[in-house]
Amino acid sequence: MFNKTKSIIECTESSLLGFSTKKSYLSPVQRLFFYPLVYLQVGFVDFVRPLKIWSLFSFVIALALSFLVKNSILDSNSYIASLNIFVWFFLLLISFSTPSSYAFNGVTELTVNNTVIILSEHEINSVDSLELLEDNVDKIEERIDERVKFYKWLIGSAWAGYILFINFQFRVISISDMKPDKNFLDSLFETSVYLSLFSLFALTLMMSYKRASKILISNLRYACVQKKSLLQKVDIDLT
């Protein structure tokens, strides 16, 4: 079951990322150099989906209000107030949208059916084998969560180390009765900006990886349920 689970995960990854599920001599190269990039891209698209909807709505509202201002129907002060009201109100709607609008992101009937085919190809054709696979999927999901926690710890450690370094620098200055000069403060500000940009980039990658992993696991779980329903339907038809 271990080898089957490993092969099913690999094939499901290939299917979701648009690669062939058949192994070839190029497969190791693809997994090393191409899979991670496409994997992050899939997660990033899902991660920014609400932002894209909100940005599009904000752009349309801004155009509509600009048209009203241009035709002297709305003054500039009312334009700014109306734009803020609409933009923040729609942001509220996006933030608290119902589960049906986001729970199936990255999971479609096609991806689930493709995963069901992969299960059949690996002879997962009984409820017992599906339950064993689900147990292994649980362990894989735990491993994914551990890696995501490690990324969070890494970002947090970078900031903790930087803050300790700043405190040490100011401690040395205070002991020596010196005042921080402009170059020192400028260097701290520049380093803070770089670290903030690095953190933002790292968080984006981390969230993209997490979203892509959730899509992968969700497809496997829905496929297992779909396969069980097909098996139960066969049993009912036979009786």
Side-chain angles (χ1 to χ4, degrees), residues 92 114 132 157 163 180 227 229:
L92 178 69
N114 287 340
L132 291 173
S157 297
I163 292 172
K227 184 70 174 179
S229 69

Side-chain angles (χ1 to χ4, degrees), residues 139-153:
K139 294 178 174 59
I140 293 169
E141 188 172 21
E142 290 175 4
R143 185 69 181 88
I144 293 170
D145 290 338
E146 289 175 0
R147 171 162 285 201
V148 172
K149 289 178 183 177
F150 169 75
Y151 294 148
K152 293 179 181 177
W153 177 87

Side-chain angles (χ1 to χ4, degrees), residues 9-156:
I9 290 291
E10 290 175 349
C11 290
T12 306
E13 288 173 350
S14 298
S15 178
L16 288 175
L17 300 181
F19 293 92
S20 173
T21 58
K22 304 297 182 182
K23 290 186 177 180
S24 66
Y25 293 110
L26 291 176
S27 294
V29 177
Q30 289 177 333
R31 288 192 172 275
L32 181 61
F33 293 102
F34 298 105
Y35 275 47
L37 297 177
V38 182
Y39 196 71
L40 289 174
Q41 185 264 337
V42 169
F44 180 76
V45 169
D46 184 65
F47 175 59
V48 301
R49 189 188 305 271
L51 181 61
K52 287 168 61 179
I53 297 173
W54 177 74
S55 299
L56 179 62
F57 174 83
S58 300
F59 178 72
V60 171
I61 289 297
L63 283 180
L65 292 176
S66 298
F67 175 80
L68 295 178
V69 172
K70 185 177 180 180
N71 289 273
S72 302
I73 301 175
L74 199 67
D75 59 68
S76 58
N77 290 330
S78 299
Y79 166 81
I80 296 174
S82 300
L83 182 61
N84 276 281
I85 290 172
F86 280 113
V87 167
W88 286 105
F89 178 70
F90 194 71
L91 181 61
L92 178 69
L93 298 181
I94 290 291
S95 301
F96 295 96
S97 56
T98 56
S100 61
S101 63
Y102 63 84
F104 299 99
N105 286 350
V107 181
T108 64
E109 183 179 3
L110 177 61
T111 60
V112 172
N113 288 337
N114 287 340
T115 308
V116 170
I117 293 173
I118 292 172
L119 296 181
S120 300
E121 291 174 348
H122 288 80
E123 300 179 352
I124 306 296
N125 295 317
S126 68
V127 173
D128 289 339
S129 61
L130 284 167
E131 290 177 349
L132 291 173
L133 175 63
E134 287 173 329
D135 288 341
N136 279 344
V137 170
D138 288 339
K139 294 178 174 59
I140 293 169
E141 188 172 21
E142 290 175 4
R143 185 69 181 88
I144 293 170
D145 290 338
E146 289 175 0
R147 171 162 285 201
V148 172
K149 289 178 183 177
F150 169 75
Y151 294 148
K152 293 179 181 177
W153 177 87
L154 197 62
I155 297 171

